Each structure stands twice: as structure tokens, then as C-alpha cells.
């Protein structure tokens, strides 16, 4: 992929395509055409350009319904910063990764099967890395907003209604060993055609359609359309550690509607709320801080600037923020095909 300038911002019409795919990641070009008032050929061409330039992508995350999230701050030795970062990029359970300023060099979001697995990941696997000096960890308790629900707000209510899919009770489908090739292919390209998936998996399109419907209905497999921060004019990320003295639900429900919020999750620890925001300038972080402080039960304990967002749900990002590769997300300690 050819990186674009950091100042590049995609056109509004392309932003509408991205927003539509965030609502329905595998919608057909014909379906999108009726929503976006563009012909399907134009939409397909524009999407291919966005993908080839690394500005947007659709992938599938096969993490199932049973897992826990951990959020780690990692301090490294001075001479091992880059090497540790590369090892974390290749670690499949590290679904979020950013190099940050401050006391800790890395902020990492990890997914593990259970508490015991998370403990093994931190205290055995990561602690054995000679480049890592210390690790601070906390466990996610409740997610109020994340990258799956973040949108640029380019579509109106009519378009959103046309693309909405009805929520259904999750079926008890579980992953099978034979799903491995399908999961890997969709992790790399969530909009891969049924014909291409059938060829990769050595089966027919009918079988692929049926299995994909089962996995998505069971919520074992979740599709996600994402975008580079630079392309939407929000190149800065600031991560806040917040102590909420009152109800985290009250704060979560209030703050989750703020357009800057990219990640909002209640956690264990003294800093019991983790907040990540995407901004057009670092000065805007002061505005966000002021808004948070006006909420009486909130104390901001720390904040850090993401100097280099390196990975988001398996998508590897280059220094300019564009997609440049993929590592399938896998649960640490799952002990099956998604390990």
C-alpha cells in the first residue's frame, strides 16, 4: 500500500460509504446504491481505492461470546522499545496497540479466555520478555462504547434505517476446526465474496453462506468496518485514566454520546474508567478534560497521547496511520481454532 500524506482527508461521499459499511459491513453494492444515491459500480470502485490506499477496511473478528478484556501499560528498556513493539504487533491476542508518551511506552488491549488465562499472559508470557521492565494491568468490566460502535456520522436517519439489521437472540453455535480457513480469510477481508471464500475453503458457496449465517447469528463472528484516523481528520488520540466516585453506568451513559469518544469502558482498579478520544488537535483534549471535570464524580488521574497507533483489531497500521497488514485476533488461552 502506498501511504498518503498525513494531511490527507477523504471526500464526504467516501465517508458516507464507510459509514454505510459500518452499519452493514457486508451489504451488497446494489443495496448501498439505493442508500447513497450512487451507482453500484462507482461505490465499488471508490471502496477498492480506499482499501488499496489503506484508508478503510472491513474485517471479521472471531472472538466469540466468552472472554475477558485486559488493558495493559507496558514499560520497556530503553534499547528494546522498537523490538518489544514488533513482538506485541505479532501477538494475536493483543487486539489494540499504541506506542505512547509518558511513563509507559505501550498501551495494549488484550483478549483472554478467562482470569487465569489473562494472568498467564501477563505474568508468564509477557513478563518473560527481556525487553519489558514492568506491566500494569486492569480488567474490563463493562464496555459503553468501542470501535464497533464509533461512526463519523456521515449518514442521515433515512439511510441508517435502510441499512439497519434486526437483532436476534444469539444461537448456541460454536467454532469448529474446519472454520479456520474461513475465519482467517474474513479476518483479512471481511467483504470477500462467497465465491472467493468457497475457493479458499475448498467447498461451495451454499455451504459458505450457511456457515457464515450461523456464525454471525450466534455472534461468534463480528464484522467491523474501520478507518484511519488521518483520513477522517482526527489524527490525535488521547487516552484518559479516570476515577469515578459514583456510578460508572451514569457516567458511561452520559459520555458515550460524545462524538470524540472512541473507547469507553469501566475497569477494575482505582482508575475505574478508561476513555480514549479521537481529536483533530491536541488542544481539543483540554476541552474534553474540562467537560469531564464538570461532572462532579469524575477525577482524571492520568492521560497519555498515542504517538503511534500500531494495531486495531488485527489490522496493522503504519506510521502514517494507514493499514499495512493483518494479524488475526485470537483469544489467549482459548485452546481451540481461535487461539
Amino acid at each position: 500500500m502506498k501511504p498518503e500524506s498525513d494531511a490527507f482527508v477523504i471526500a464526504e461521499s467516501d465517508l458516507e460509504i464507510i459509514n454505510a459499511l459500518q452499519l452493514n459491513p457486508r451489504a451488497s453494492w446494489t443495496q448501498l446504491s439505493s442508500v447513497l444515491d450512487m451507482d453500484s459500480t462507482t461505490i465499488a470502485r471508490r471502496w477498492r481505492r480506499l482499501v488499496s490506499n489503506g484508508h478503510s477496511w472491513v474485517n471479521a473478528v472471531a472472538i466469540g461470546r466468552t472472554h475477558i478484556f485486559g488493558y495493559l501499560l507496558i514499560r520497556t528498556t530503553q534499547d528494546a522499545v522498537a523490538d518489544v513493539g514488533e513482538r506485541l504487533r505479532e501477538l494475536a491476542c493483543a487486539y489494540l496497540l499504541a506506542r505512547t508518551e509518558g511513563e509507559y511506552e505501550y498501551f495494549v488491549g488484550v483478549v483472554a479466555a478467562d482470569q487465569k488465562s489473562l494472568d498467564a499472559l501477563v505474568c508468564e508470557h509477557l513478563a518473560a520478555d527481556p525487553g519489558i521492565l514492568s506491566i500494569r494491568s486492569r480488567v474490563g468490566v463493562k464496555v459503553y462504547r468501542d470501535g464497533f460502535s464509533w461512526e463519523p456520522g456521515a449518514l442521515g436517519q433515512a439511510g441508517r434505517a435502510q441499512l439497519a439489521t434486526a437483532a436476534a437472540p444469539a444461537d448456541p453455535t460454536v467454532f469448529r476446526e474446519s472454520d479456520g480457513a474461513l475465519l482467517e480469510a474474513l479476518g483479512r477481508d471481511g467483504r470477500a465474496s462467497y465465491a472467493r471464500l468457497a475457493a479458499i475453503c475448498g467447498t461451495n458457496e451454499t455451504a459458505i453462506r450457511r456457515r457464515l449465517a450461523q456464525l454471525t447469528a450466534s455472534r461468534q463472528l463480528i464484522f467491523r468496518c474501520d478507518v484511519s484516523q488521518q483520513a477522517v481528520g482526527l489524527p490525535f488520540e488521547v487516552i484518559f485514566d479516570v476515577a469515578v466516585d459514583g456510578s460508572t453506568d451514569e457516567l458511561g451513559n452520559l459520555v458515550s454520546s460524545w462524538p470524540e469518544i472512541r473507547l469507553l469502558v469501566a475497569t477494575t482498579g482505582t482508575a475505574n474508567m478508561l476513555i480514549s478520544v479521537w481529536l483533530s488537535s491536541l488542544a481539543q483534549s483540554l476541552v474534553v478534560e474540562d467537560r469531564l471535570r464538570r461532572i462532579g464524580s469524575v477525577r482524571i488521574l492520568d492521560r497519555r497521547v498515542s504517538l503511534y497507533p500500531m494495531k486495531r483489531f488485527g489490522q496493522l497500521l503504519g506510521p502514517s496511520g494507514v493499514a499495512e497488514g493483518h494479524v488475526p485476533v485470537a483469544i489467549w488461552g482459548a485452546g481451540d481454532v481461535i487461539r
Side-chain angles (χ1 to χ4, degrees):
M1 297 177 184
K2 181 180 178 182
E4 300 281 353
S5 163
D6 287 352
F8 174 84
V9 177
I10 59 177
E12 184 66 24
S13 55
D14 286 342
L15 199 58
E16 291 176 356
I17 295 173
I18 292 169
N19 202 169
L21 288 175
Q22 288 175 321
L23 296 168
N24 194 336
R26 284 187 63 85
S28 69
W29 300 130
T30 301
Q31 185 178 1
L32 293 178
S33 177
S34 65
V35 173
L36 301 175
D37 196 25
M38 283 186 274
D39 67 81
S40 57
T41 302
T42 299
I43 296 172
R45 184 182 68 251
R46 289 189 173 191
W47 175 250
R48 286 194 296 269
R49 185 183 62 211
L50 288 167
V51 172
S52 65
N53 287 335
H55 293 310
S56 191
W57 55 89
V58 170
N59 61 0
V61 183
I63 59 174
R65 298 191 305 271
T66 305
H67 55 265
I68 62 171
F69 291 116
Y71 301 96
L72 315 179
L73 293 176
I74 294 179
R75 183 188 298 155
T76 73
T77 60
Q78 187 172 356
D79 60 350
V81 175
D83 290 341
V84 169
E86 286 306 308
R87 288 193 284 273
L88 291 172
R89 267 167 65 99
E90 295 301 319
L91 185 62
C93 67
Y95 68 95
L96 288 177
L97 175 63
R99 189 151 62 224
T100 61
E101 52 79 39
E103 184 180 358
Y104 293 87
E105 282 77 20
Y106 289 102
F107 168 75
V108 192
V110 297
V111 58
D114 48 34
Q115 297 94 317
K116 182 179 178 181
S117 298
L118 181 60
D119 179 67
L121 169 65
V122 174
C123 298
E124 297 174 18
H125 181 78
L126 292 176
D129 189 313
I132 293 179
L133 284 176
S134 63
I135 305 169
R136 282 180 54 194
S137 61
R138 52 211 276 210
V139 176
V141 176
K142 183 175 181 179
V143 177
Y144 297 94
R145 189 170 185 180
D146 60 14
F148 286 93
S149 55
W150 181 90
E151 298 175 28
L155 281 184
Q157 288 301 317
R160 296 177 62 84
Q162 286 180 264
L163 289 166
T165 55
D171 295 328
T173 303
V174 296
F175 291 114
R176 304 189 296 238
E177 186 175 355
S178 58
D179 291 326
L182 176 63
L183 299 179
E184 183 172 354
L186 289 170
R188 297 181 183 280
D189 180 9
R191 286 190 58 82
S193 68
Y194 292 110
R196 176 166 174 74
L197 293 172
I200 291 172
C201 298
T203 185
N204 58 69
E205 290 186 46
T206 301
I208 291 295
R209 287 177 182 271
R210 182 169 56 247
R211 186 56 180 158
L212 198 50
Q214 292 170 345
L215 291 174
T216 52
S218 67
R219 300 175 194 162
Q220 295 282 62
L221 187 67
I222 304 173
F223 287 88
R224 167 188 177 96
C225 177
D226 213 338
V227 63
S228 74
Q229 292 176 243
Q230 287 78 0
V232 292
L234 302 169
F236 299 98
E237 179 182 19
V238 179
I239 304 165
F240 295 98
D241 289 332
V242 171
V244 181
D245 297 325
S247 167
T248 56
D249 276 347
E250 185 176 336
L251 179 69
N253 294 332
L254 172 65
V255 176
S256 61
S257 63
W258 295 3
E260 304 92 343
I261 300 294
R262 176 72 183 192
L263 176 65
L264 179 63
V265 55
T267 68
T268 57
T270 303
N272 58 354
M273 186 73 82
L274 178 68
I275 303 175
S276 167
V277 293
W278 279 12
L279 307 168
S280 60
S281 71
L282 283 179
Q284 281 189 311
S285 68
L286 301 178
V287 177
V288 173
E289 284 198 36
D290 185 56
R291 292 174 69 189
L292 286 171
R293 286 197 177 95
R294 291 180 185 179
I295 303 171
S297 61
V298 170
R299 291 177 292 125
I300 299 174
L301 302 184
D302 198 6
R303 80 280 294 150
R304 61 191 62 86
V305 175
S306 173
L307 301 176
Y308 176 11
M310 301 172 69
K311 187 179 182 183
R312 290 208 303 273
F313 273 93
Q315 202 70 37
L316 302 180
L317 306 177
S320 59
V322 300
E324 62 174 22
H326 182 263
V327 173
V329 177
I331 299 175
W332 184 269
D336 57 17
V337 296
I338 55 172
R339 170 64 188 269

